[in-house]
Amino acid sequence: MKSLPVFFLSLCALLFAGCSEREAKRADLVFINGAEIGSIDPSQSTTQKESRVINSLFEGLMRFSSAGRAEPGCALEPEISADGRTYTFTIRDNARWSDGSPVTAEDFVRSWRRVLLPATASEYASIMHCIAGAEAFNTGKDEDFGKVGVKAVSERVLVITLTNPIPYFRDLLAFMTFCPVHTSTLEKLPEAEKDSYWKPGNLVGNGPYLLKEWRLNDRIRLEKNAAYWDAANVKLRTVDILPIENPNTAVNLFLTGAADLMVDKELIPTSIADHISRKPYFHRKPFLSTWFIRFNTQRKPYGDPRVRKALTMVIDRRRITEVITRLGEEPAFAISPPGIGNGYVPPAGITLNVAEAQRLLAEAGYPEGRGFPVLDYLYPSKFPVENGIAVELQSMWKNALGLTVSLRRQEQKVYFESQKKMDYDLSRSTWVGDYNDPNTFLDLFTSTNGNNRTGWSTKAYDDLIAAAAGEPDQKKRYQMLNDAETTLIEKECVVAPVFYYLGVQFYHADKLGGVEPNLIDEHPLRCIYWK
């Protein structure tokens, strides 16, 4: 293909016309972020798209560099005890909230308490369970927050005590859930008015940017925070974040110069994937993210591991990556991506075996699919590639097992709500590693993790993940995690991994700097600059 399809070029006039108002007030950087985000509250957010905004408005003790590595944020490097369980952080003396008040150790104590309160119902609260006493408080077993290992020993000194040494704890602290919020402002608001805290003009943050404007389904305008401790190194004065979920629109905005940067891995029209992936502005690199299928183990017949295995065994992953996604993704047989951690080797997983799948389904009571209920497959409607994958899966399950499959497309927010409520049989899912360790994928399916969403819960698995967390020997720890993953994807087959994502960025490297492909696909806006 030597030129772009005609329908792309025909949209240019319309796109320029639609962007006229935006262009008149053009920000220093226009960034395409995918679908509209749901929340900028660190206690309520769960998606990578939300984290890009949250980590621009707030900053934790640690922050991510452009290379995706944890580095000191609004605190200095911690002092770590000899046993690796106690971290002492000193807040920078020039760390300030956007209203000019100092960031204090107590801000973190109160913010983390808010995340862990059962009433907050934070789906990511379990990420803090490595802190001593946090799980008991979060699950309501102990209502005394004083027993949680987070103490403000002075205005600027915070001491954190862990249940066990965590080799990736510094990385955890850079994650959005650990960001502080200005609780002294939030807590003064009446319950009915608390939502107003998150609006432009009201939000008090401590990150590199302020929330200047948020027009739903149009843009989020960020403006440089002069009170930020590292403001001198923030080069972009304003950033517009666009909630574009249509791949054709997104690519055209970039190609016509109406947008400068796009990092959403799903915003590529499959019809031109081969062509566009050869362009100099197209950048890709493997990162820690897996596309997989969740089974609702609380619904019959999906509570039977034989049924789950049969459905998994007929998935032709290579066909999906070569015919549908077409960006060079690797088929996935384990939930943990290749290269994760320092030497971790995931189990082999369940491979394509139609004959064995048919035997298992018959053994479960459904020979040639007879008597099997209509299978409800849930997926988001925002990306055409998802529809292509859904149709392929429908065909595979029909042809190999004789099943009737109903494809249920839902708008992004509705889809997430359906998955959360367990309103599905099988559901398309993705997970991006929050840090470079297999635990970020395996802890997801413990009983108390709010992001589990499979209905599957076993004490043996929970105990194995907990034992691995307390194992100081890395080789033994990795073996425990491998045993847990084997249970998850082979013995119980709670999820069916399908392919590993590639991190994709659209930008002109000769003009735009500070965007570095990395394993956790982090691209902090504060690091980006024009050359």
Side-chain angles (χ1 to χ4, degrees):
M1 186 183 296
K2 296 182 179 179
S3 61
L4 289 174
V6 173
F7 78 91
F8 274 151
L9 299 177
S10 68
L11 286 175
C12 290
L14 177 61
L15 288 167
F16 277 126
C19 293
S20 58
E21 181 182 352
R22 185 179 294 134
E23 289 294 327
K25 304 175 182 178
R26 198 183 200 284
D28 294 342
L29 181 81
V30 179
F31 166 53
I32 297 175
N33 192 37
E36 179 69 74
I37 64 172
S39 175
I40 55 172
D41 180 349
S43 77
Q44 299 301 312
S45 301
T46 61
T47 71
Q48 188 181 33
K49 295 174 181 64
E50 291 167 337
S51 75
R52 292 168 188 150
V53 182
I54 289 171
N55 288 334
S56 297
L57 299 171
F58 302 98
E59 184 169 278
L61 301 168
M62 306 293 290
R63 66 182 187 180
F64 287 116
S65 69
S66 59
R69 300 189 183 94
E71 64 181 20
C74 73
L76 305 174
E77 274 286 0
E79 296 178 11
I80 306 173
S81 63
D83 65 1
R85 293 182 58 240
T86 303
Y87 286 66
T88 301
F89 283 92
T90 299
I91 310 297
R92 297 178 187 274
D93 56 10
N94 60 340
R96 292 284 185 273
W97 292 99
S98 54
D99 67 354
S101 60
V103 178
T104 68
E106 187 64 27
D107 288 328
F108 283 91
V109 174
R110 292 163 67 181
S111 296
W112 294 3
R113 178 180 182 274
R114 178 173 175 266
V115 172
L116 289 168
L117 276 169
T120 304
S122 172
E123 292 184 54
Y124 248 121
S126 62
I127 203 169
M128 293 185 175
H129 287 182
C130 56
I131 299 173
E135 182 174 7
F137 181 79
N138 180 231
T139 56
K141 296 176 183 176
D142 193 332
E143 297 181 0
D144 184 4
F145 186 74
K147 295 179 182 178
V148 177
V150 183
K151 311 293 180 187
V153 299
S154 70
E155 184 178 62
R156 293 177 51 229
V157 177
L158 181 73
V159 177
I160 307 168
T161 304
L162 306 180
T163 303
N164 298 294
I166 303 292
Y168 49 85
F169 187 59
R170 291 172 76 260
D171 299 78
L172 274 186
L173 290 173
F175 189 67
M176 63 179 173
T177 311
F178 287 90
C179 286
V181 296
H182 201 243
T183 53
S184 57
T185 296
L186 184 58
E187 291 168 359
K188 288 177 183 177
L189 295 171
E191 194 62 37
E193 299 177 19
K194 288 194 185 299
D195 284 349
S196 66
Y197 172 75
W198 308 101
K199 295 181 179 179
N202 297 338
L203 186 67
V204 179
N206 71 324
Y209 287 95
L210 306 173
L211 183 63
K212 186 67 174 177
E213 188 177 36
W214 188 352
R215 301 197 310 227
L216 288 176
N217 298 313
D218 182 26
R219 75 176 183 192
I220 291 176
R221 168 65 65 94
L222 303 182
E223 191 172 87
K224 183 176 175 178
N225 178 12
Y228 179 53
W229 70 269
D230 197 23
N233 289 314
V234 178
K235 304 304 182 185
L236 300 173
R237 186 180 59 84
T238 55
V239 177
D240 275 352
I241 299 176
L242 308 186
I244 307 296
E245 59 182 82
N246 183 287
N248 293 339
T249 303
V251 170
N252 273 278
L253 284 170
F254 177 80
L255 294 178
T256 57
D260 309 304
L261 173 66
M262 182 171 78
V263 299
D264 198 302
K265 57 193 175 298
E266 295 168 312
L267 281 178
I268 302 172
T270 55
S271 59
I272 61 166
D274 296 335
H275 168 78
I276 212 163
S277 63
R278 295 192 294 270
K279 295 298 183 181
Y281 52 73
F282 181 89
H283 309 268
R284 63 181 167 189
K285 186 176 181 180
F287 79 114
L288 305 179
S289 183
T290 307
W291 193 106
F292 63 97
I293 297 169
R294 277 180 168 91
F295 292 97
N296 184 348
T297 65
Q298 297 299 305
R299 281 189 181 178
K300 293 183 178 180
Y302 310 102
D304 188 334
R306 293 171 299 183
V307 171
R308 301 195 295 264
K309 288 179 183 178
L311 288 164
T312 301
M313 279 182 178
V314 299
I315 298 174
D316 187 341
R317 297 162 171 86
R318 183 68 65 183
R319 175 171 174 79
I320 288 173
T321 57
E322 291 182 352
V323 176
I324 306 299
T325 60
R326 298 167 58 186
L327 288 176
E329 297 92 344
E330 283 296 317
F333 298 93
I335 195 72
S336 297
I340 196 168
N342 183 21
Y344 177 75
V345 179
I350 293 176
T351 56
L352 184 66
N353 190 333
V354 174
E356 177 63 8
Q358 292 171 340
R359 187 194 70 77
L360 284 170
L361 197 65
E363 185 180 290
Y366 306 99
E368 298 180 349
R370 292 193 296 273
F372 201 94
V374 175
L375 187 159
D376 170 56
Y377 177 74
L378 175 70
Y379 67 105
S381 60
K382 62 175 182 171
F383 300 126
V385 68
E386 293 296 342
N387 191 59
I389 295 173
V391 170
E392 282 294 327
L393 290 171
Q394 182 184 48
S395 176
M396 291 171 188
W397 290 325
K398 172 66 176 176
N399 294 338
L401 300 175
L403 306 184
T404 299
V405 180
S406 172
L407 302 181
R408 183 156 56 110
R409 298 175 63 181
Q410 291 185 335
E411 185 273 329
Q412 180 85 342
K413 292 180 182 179
V414 180
Y415 152 79
F416 276 126
E417 192 61 28
S418 294
Q419 196 180 78
K420 183 179 178 180
K421 292 179 179 178
M422 304 285 294
D423 180 20
Y424 71 90
D425 292 340
L426 275 67
S427 174
R428 168 269 194 194
S429 303
T430 64
W431 192 254
V432 178
D434 301 325
Y435 46 92
N436 187 13
D437 189 272
N439 188 74
T440 188
F441 286 86
L442 303 180
D443 180 73
L444 180 64
F445 300 100
T446 55
S447 301
T448 58
N449 195 301
N451 289 301
N452 184 318
R453 301 178 183 179
T454 65
W456 183 73
S457 172
T458 70
K459 186 176 183 299
Y461 184 85
D462 294 346
D463 289 348
L464 197 52
I465 296 296
E471 175 53 61
D473 185 294
Q474 187 74 304
K475 185 176 180 180
K476 292 180 180 178
R477 175 174 172 268
Y478 277 177
Q479 184 57 58
M480 290 177 179
L481 292 177
N482 184 281
D483 291 344
E485 188 165 7
T486 299
T487 296
L488 180 73
I489 64 170
E490 292 184 11
K491 296 178 181 178
E492 293 289 330
C493 198
V494 180
V495 295
V498 177
F499 63 87
Y500 301 116
Y501 275 112
L502 288 171
V504 172
Q505 305 88 37
F506 280 56
Y507 66 96
H508 296 285
D510 59 330
K511 299 177 181 178
L512 195 65
V515 184
E516 298 183 40
N518 57 75
L519 277 178
I520 56 173
D521 202 33
E522 283 287 340
H523 308 286
L525 294 176
R526 71 169 199 282
C527 298
I528 298 174
Y529 60 92
W530 289 105
K531 296 181 178 179

